[in-house]
């Protein structure tokens, strides 16, 4: 803070200072903060702007870029595969996010009340999140496999018929959603836990004195007090959920498996740009995804955070 | 050494400056006395590369090869698009035709005297690297002739012919092959002829003289020759002779390992990827014979010299040395690449009995297949066309569409895609 205050006074005492001189004066500060901005400009801003540019072109990666105006976008809106990809993504997102956040809240609550081995449980729940997605997906591939899967072995051992999980749309989507859930439950639980620990014990004590049951306490105190944390996890899960890629790609390859049921928006983007070499179209899909994520974040915000105003 | 913050910043600044000035001015990758080459894992013989990395015969250059782990093509396209630090030599897979629209990025090998070597190579393989405008963009590496792989033990159990020549006679076309599969399935329940419908279709297509487009750019993927392959693969499904183990899943290995896949039409490289890797304990039980319905080819790669190359003559000297009949025998031993030079089929190295195939000399079968294969034309759009068609076939296998419905939907998707890229 002290550093900021100093230039401020300097400016106010010489109001007619020339901008160029001012730049020179603060040069060391500008240089000091420049690495971030330089790197961001090269690796963040430029690719983002360039992807807008190529989305108005037809480009195979090597040859000439051909200006096609809005053609990529008009094709996008009439592309049944794109809409199917959005549908798949949303189904997988709901199938994964709802149980994930619910489980995370339950686990966080349990962790909050645990007395022994706290550290151990926290680490144990967080480990899936730092495990390689590819490795996890391959293990899940063996669990859901049609021919030698653990799940089918289990079903058959209890006398049920085996299910060809990876040959039908819902089976594929359940498999992908379960990978996402397994991976992110612990992460969200730790975030909820941090939120829980920030709630003052006084509130709980007051509830106890008023004779609230533990269920009442949970729904009337814990959940409302956690609302900002829930909003955060809901938005990050939405952003993550709409960008599912690795799970589908490793489990099913570029085409999303039978019926394309595992094709998410990002796998479709990847396939368009890097398998079919239609970079303009891939960029257009990317921007459609951006709009979709923004839209869902706003909806989340309204749903979870909105009530606070009233 | 402890790294101070100042030291760290200084180092990063220096590294960034070096990185920025390092590129930009030069368009070809590597030092001036080096020829750089990109390929993927398992596409060349390491011993030969080792030799060339000391010195390339007949030049003052030496080779620096990089194995690109994954997303090979994306990386090649990126370096070509960047027009800077482009490798001198790049390998291409059997999607070589997708580079045809940008053939000007590569040196026309006709100008380097490639024609003198033409007679040593399989004619159809040689043609695959030449664009319809007669520009020789890519030089032959290996090929992927097909054969019928079968489990002798299972055939014996089912009272079917067991010796390669007899099996080939009993399954001379797809009809008799399917009949044989039905008998096999009856005697050894669970037996199948293919892991999935896509394999049946792709191998059926690999026997065709024509594929999806003509060299002058006409779409023929809705023609009878494709429909026939389509119907045959659907029949394999209908008879219950597919394991429904979809491509790109671990199930594909499982059906080799658990013995359900008792026979399979596959390319030569499948020996390694399939039974040798996934079911080593089946050693000695496998045999190969001529492909039902005629010789086919699936896979096989190429080498091309980019227009940024520092020394095209040296690069060509290297390529023609690496792919000479003698050296392709080395590549057959490791990493199991099947030669594109017929003279190599007589090489003693290839004529060793293979214990995995019960001592059979498999080169006899694959060499015949490679020589008998009629050749075909791959268009730059073959993958754009093939992907939706195969995806629709999978719908037939998992039971969500009838063959007719899938055919109509597939053709509609192809038409849409081709219109978009301006191919029709």
């Amino acid at each position: 803070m002290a550093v900021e205050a100093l230039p401020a006074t300097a400016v106010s005492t010489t109001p007619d200072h020339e901008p160029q001189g001012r730049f020179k004066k603060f040069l060391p500060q500008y240089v000091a903060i420049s690495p971030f901005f330089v790197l961001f400009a090269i690796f963040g801003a430029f690719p983002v702007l360039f992807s807008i540019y190529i989305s108005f072109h037809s480009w195979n990666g090597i040859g000439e870029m051909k200006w096609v105006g809005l053609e990529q976008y008009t094709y996008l809106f009439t592309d049944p595969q794109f809409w199917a990809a959005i549908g798949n993504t949303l189904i997988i997102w709901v199938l994964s996010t709802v149980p994930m956040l619910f489980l995370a809240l339950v686990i966080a609550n349990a962790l909050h009340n645990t007395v022994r081995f706290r550290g151990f449980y926290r680490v144990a729940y967080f480990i899936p999140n730092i495990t390689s997605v590819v490795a996890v997906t391959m293990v899940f591939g063996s669990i859901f496999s049609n021919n030698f899967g653990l799940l089918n072995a289990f079903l058959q051992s209890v006398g049920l018929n085996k299910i060809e999980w990876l040959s039908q749309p819902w089976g594929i989507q359940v498999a992908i959603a379960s990978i996402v859930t397994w991976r992110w439950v612990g992460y969200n639980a730790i975030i909820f836990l941090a939120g829980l620990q920030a709630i003052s014990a006084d509130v709980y004590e007051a509830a106890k004195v008023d004779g609230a049951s533990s269920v009442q306490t949970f729904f009337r105190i814990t959940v409302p007090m956690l609302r900002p944390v829930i909003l955060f996890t809901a938005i990050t899960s939405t952003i993550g959920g709409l960008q599912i890629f690795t799970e589908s790609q490793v489990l099913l390859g570029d085409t999303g498996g039978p019926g394309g049921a595992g094709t998410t928006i990002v796998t479709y983007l990847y396939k368009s740009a890097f398998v079919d070499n239609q970079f303009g179209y891939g960029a257009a899909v990317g921007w459609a995804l951006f709009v979709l994520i923004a839209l869902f974040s706003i909806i989340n915000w309204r749903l979870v955070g909105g009530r606070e105003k009233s | 050494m402890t790294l101070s913050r100042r030291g760290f910043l200084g180092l990063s600044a220096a590294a960034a400056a070096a990185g920025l000035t390092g590129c930009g001015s030069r368009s070809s990758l590597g030092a001036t006395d080096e020829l750089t080459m990109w390929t993927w894992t398992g596409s060349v013989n390491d011993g030969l590369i080792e030799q060339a990395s000391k010195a390339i015969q007949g030049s003052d250059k030496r080779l620096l090869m990089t194995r690109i782990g994954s997303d090979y093509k994306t990386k090649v396209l990126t370096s070509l698009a960047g027009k800077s630090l482009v490798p001198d030599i790049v390998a291409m897979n059997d999607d070589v035709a997708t580079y045809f629209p940008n053939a000007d990025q590569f040196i026309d090998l006709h100008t380097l005297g490639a024609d003198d070597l033409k007679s040593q190579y399989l004619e159809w393989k040689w043609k695959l690297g030449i664009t319809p405008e007669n520009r020789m963009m890519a030089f032959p590496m290996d090929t992927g002739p097909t054969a019928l792989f079968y489990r002798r033990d299972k055939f014996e159990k089912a009272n079917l012919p067991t010796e390669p020549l007899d099996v080939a006679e009993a399954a001379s076309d797809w009809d008799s092959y399917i009949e044989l599969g039905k008998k096999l399935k009856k005697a050894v329940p669970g037996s199948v002829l293919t892991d999935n419908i896509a394999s049946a279709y792709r191998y059926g297509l690999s026997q065709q003289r024509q594929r999806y487009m003509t060299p002058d750019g006409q779409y023929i993927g809705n023609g009878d020759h494709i429909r026939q392959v389509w119907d045959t693969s659907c029949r394999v499904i209908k008879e219950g002779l597919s394991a429904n183990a979809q491509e790109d899943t671990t199930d594909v290995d499982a059906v080799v390992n658990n013995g359900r896949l008792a026979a399979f039409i596959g390319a030569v490289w499948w020996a390694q990827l399939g039974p040798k890797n996934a079911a080593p304990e089946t050693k000695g039980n496998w045999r190969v014979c001529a492909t039902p319905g005629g010789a086919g080819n699936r896979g096989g790669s190429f080498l091309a010299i980019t227009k940024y190359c520092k020394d095209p003559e040296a690069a060509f000297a290297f390529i023609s040395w690496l792919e000479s009949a003698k050296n392709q025998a080395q590549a057959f031993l490791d990493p199991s690449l099947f030669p594109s030079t017929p003279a190599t089929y007589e090489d003693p190295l290839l004529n060793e009995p293979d214990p995995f195939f019960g001592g059979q000399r498999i080169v006899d079968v694959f060499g015949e297949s490679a020589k008998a294969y009629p050749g075909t034309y791959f268009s730059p759009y073959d993958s754009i066309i093939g992907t939706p068609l195969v995806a629709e076939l999978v719908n037939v296998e998992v039971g969500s569409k009838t063959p007719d419905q899938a055919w109509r939907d597939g053709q509609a998707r192809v038409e849409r895609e081709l219109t978009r890229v301006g191919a029709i």
Side-chain angles (χ1 to χ4, degrees):
Chain A
M1 286 299 119
V3 181
E4 266 177 33
L6 196 65
T9 27
V11 172
S12 63
T13 50
T14 52
D16 54 347
H17 213 90
E18 283 182 21
Q20 209 190 349
R22 230 159 77 189
F23 180 76
K24 242 184 206 165
K25 194 167 183 179
F26 299 131
L27 190 64
Q29 284 92 329
Y30 283 122
V31 170
I33 59 166
S34 67
F36 167 76
F37 289 99
V38 171
L39 290 176
F40 176 75
I42 298 172
F43 296 105
F46 172 72
V48 168
L49 297 175
F50 189 63
S51 76
I52 297 181
Y53 177 73
I54 55 175
S55 75
F56 294 112
H57 289 78
S58 172
W59 188 40
N60 69 3
I62 319 177
E64 288 300 305
M65 289 169 100
K66 204 179 94 202
W67 173 263
V68 293
L70 286 171
E71 243 173 65
Q72 303 283 16
Y73 290 97
T74 49
Y75 187 89
L76 185 76
F77 281 113
T78 55
D79 183 358
Q81 285 192 76
F82 172 69
W83 291 108
I86 290 187
N88 294 334
T89 311
L90 293 181
I91 292 171
I92 293 167
W93 171 63
V94 171
L95 282 179
S96 60
T97 307
V98 173
M100 174 175 79
L101 291 186
F102 177 74
L103 276 175
L105 200 53
V106 172
I107 291 170
N109 219 28
L111 281 178
H112 190 51
N113 298 322
T114 317
V115 186
R116 305 179 67 189
F117 307 125
R118 264 189 177 190
F120 168 77
Y121 285 124
R122 278 180 218 176
V123 171
Y125 279 110
F126 198 72
I127 276 179
N129 196 251
I130 53 163
T131 312
S132 149
V133 204
V134 174
V136 170
T137 306
M138 293 179 88
V139 173
F140 271 77
S142 312
I143 293 177
F144 284 99
S145 158
N146 293 348
N147 277 280
F148 64 96
L150 280 179
L151 206 54
N152 276 339
F154 171 75
L155 288 177
Q156 283 172 319
S157 73
V158 298
L160 294 167
N161 284 334
K162 74 172 189 179
I163 297 170
E164 301 213 312
W165 294 96
L166 299 182
S167 295
Q168 36 199 340
W170 68 268
I172 288 171
Q173 286 156 357
V174 165
I176 295 176
S178 65
I179 302 171
V180 178
T181 307
W182 187 81
R183 219 170 149 247
W184 290 95
V185 156
Y187 170 86
N188 286 303
I190 298 291
I191 298 210
F192 282 142
L193 181 63
L196 286 176
Q197 285 170 340
I199 300 174
S200 156
D202 300 353
V203 193
Y204 284 110
E205 232 162 77
K208 216 177 203 174
V209 171
D210 289 346
S213 71
S214 60
V215 175
Q216 275 174 323
T217 317
F218 182 76
F219 283 106
R220 299 274 173 99
I221 294 176
T222 311
V223 173
M225 296 286 268
L226 270 184
R227 190 174 292 152
V229 183
I230 295 177
L231 174 67
F232 172 79
T233 53
I235 289 185
T236 50
S237 314
T238 307
I239 296 173
L242 293 177
Q243 298 187 64
I244 290 172
F245 168 72
T246 321
E247 292 86 349
S248 162
Q249 215 267 344
V250 175
L251 200 61
L252 306 151
D254 295 331
T255 54
T263 303
T264 63
I265 303 173
V266 185
T267 46
Y268 190 54
L269 184 164
Y270 173 79
K271 185 180 160 292
S272 303
F274 300 107
V275 181
D276 300 341
N277 296 326
Q278 292 165 349
F279 290 92
Y281 192 60
V285 175
W287 280 98
L289 176 62
F290 169 78
V291 170
L292 201 69
I293 291 179
L295 209 71
F296 271 82
S297 298
I298 292 169
I299 294 173
N300 264 338
W301 194 282
R302 284 289 161 88
L303 278 182
V304 189
R307 261 184 292 169
E308 237 156 277
K309 275 179 224 147
S310 55
Chain B
M1 185 187 113
T2 53
L3 188 61
S4 69
R5 192 176 350 175
R6 191 172 296 221
F8 175 71
L9 287 175
L11 274 178
S12 337
L20 287 176
T21 50
C23 46
S25 54
R26 280 166 38 237
S27 51
S28 168
L29 185 68
T32 44
D33 67 334
E34 276 174 350
L35 284 181
T36 48
M37 170 177 169
W38 280 7
T39 183
W40 53 90
T41 316
S43 81
V44 282
N45 177 277
D46 291 339
L48 295 173
I49 295 299
E50 177 86 44
Q51 276 182 48
S53 68
K54 290 186 189 111
I56 292 170
Q57 279 183 5
S59 84
D60 55 351
K61 299 277 192 288
R62 57 200 176 82
L63 185 79
L64 180 71
M65 193 193 75
T66 311
R67 278 185 200 81
I68 306 294
S70 57
D71 301 325
Y72 175 77
K73 193 174 175 187
T74 309
K75 286 167 186 163
V76 171
L77 291 182
T78 308
S79 88
L80 285 171
K83 299 180 172 55
S84 131
L85 298 176
V86 183
D88 299 291
I89 303 165
V90 293
M92 291 172 178
N93 219 324
D94 67 342
D95 58 356
V96 59
T98 59
Y99 293 90
F100 280 177
N102 304 105
D104 60 346
Q105 299 286 318
F106 304 94
I107 291 176
D108 184 354
L109 301 178
H110 285 137
T111 64
L112 294 171
D115 287 321
D116 298 343
L117 304 168
K118 189 178 173 190
S119 59
Q120 298 174 26
Y121 292 81
L122 293 164
E123 197 192 344
W124 58 265
K125 175 75 184 180
W126 189 266
K127 277 190 190 154
L128 287 177
I130 300 174
T131 69
E133 296 77 32
N134 196 31
R135 208 183 152 92
M136 183 164 178
M137 194 189 76
F139 195 85
M141 286 178 88
D142 62 310
T143 60
T146 63
L148 173 62
F149 292 77
Y150 67 92
R151 287 278 299 268
R152 190 186 184 278
D153 51 332
K154 304 246 168 192
F155 274 46
E156 194 165 25
K157 214 166 151 190
N159 261 331
L160 293 167
T162 52
E163 291 315 306
L165 288 176
D166 303 332
V167 175
E169 205 188 312
S172 57
D173 53 17
W174 279 82
D175 289 334
S176 51
Y177 179 48
I178 290 174
E179 288 310 311
L180 188 139
K182 280 156 76 176
K183 281 183 211 156
L184 184 67
K185 196 185 173 195
K186 223 179 205 167
V188 188
S191 296
V192 291
L193 298 184
T194 182
D195 44 11
N196 54 53
I197 194 168
S199 292
Y201 174 76
R202 291 188 204 279
Y203 281 111
L205 184 62
S206 82
Q207 300 171 318
Q208 299 294 317
R209 281 166 177 276
Q210 289 186 307
R211 287 172 60 89
Y212 296 127
M213 297 195 90
T214 59
D216 53 5
Q218 252 194 317
Y219 177 61
I220 49 170
N222 48 7
D224 286 344
H225 64 294
I226 300 289
R227 183 67 209 233
Q228 208 185 324
V229 178
W230 183 280
D231 288 339
T232 306
S233 43
C234 290
R235 237 175 76 212
V236 173
I237 301 305
K238 207 176 134 219
E239 302 288 357
L241 295 173
S242 166
N244 190 11
Q246 295 305 321
E247 281 183 317
D248 297 321
T249 68
T250 40
D251 271 4
V252 170
D253 291 335
V255 297
V256 184
N257 188 276
N258 65 20
R260 284 193 69 195
L261 197 65
F264 185 63
I265 294 179
V268 60
W269 42 262
W270 186 77
Q272 188 65 49
L273 289 183
K276 284 187 182 176
N277 278 355
E281 67 283 358
T282 59
K283 180 176 174 177
N285 290 332
W286 290 91
R287 297 288 185 279
V288 286
C289 72
T291 322
N297 182 78
R298 187 173 163 208
S301 42
F302 298 85
L303 285 169
I305 302 174
T306 64
K307 70 171 181 187
Y308 304 94
C309 181
K310 288 182 280 281
D311 186 345
E313 275 81 25
F316 188 72
F318 164 69
I319 287 177
S320 48
W321 168 80
L322 184 71
E323 302 308 331
S324 66
K326 187 167 149 278
N327 284 339
Q328 285 207 43
Q330 293 295 329
F332 175 77
L333 294 184
D334 177 36
S336 309
L337 301 177
F338 199 78
S340 49
T341 42
T344 317
Y345 307 155
E346 317 299 330
D347 193 298
L349 288 175
L350 272 72
N351 284 280
E352 288 290 313
D354 188 336
F356 197 86
F357 293 91
Q360 190 182 357
R361 288 190 346 191
I362 62 170
V363 66
D364 295 344
V365 176
F366 289 110
E368 277 311 306
S369 179
K371 282 191 247 176
Y373 176 62
T376 184
Y377 168 71
F378 278 77
S379 82
Y381 308 108
D382 273 28
S383 67
I384 295 180
I385 300 165
T387 308
L389 290 182
V390 170
E392 289 295 339
L393 273 174
V394 174
N395 286 333
V396 175
E397 174 151 33
V398 300
S400 60
K401 280 186 191 175
T402 64
D404 283 330
Q405 195 185 354
W407 173 262
R408 277 196 303 275
D409 293 353
Q411 291 298 338
R413 264 171 80 180
V414 169
E415 205 182 303
R416 232 179 101 79
E417 296 279 338
L418 288 181
T419 313
R420 166 163 57 150
V421 295
I424 50 172

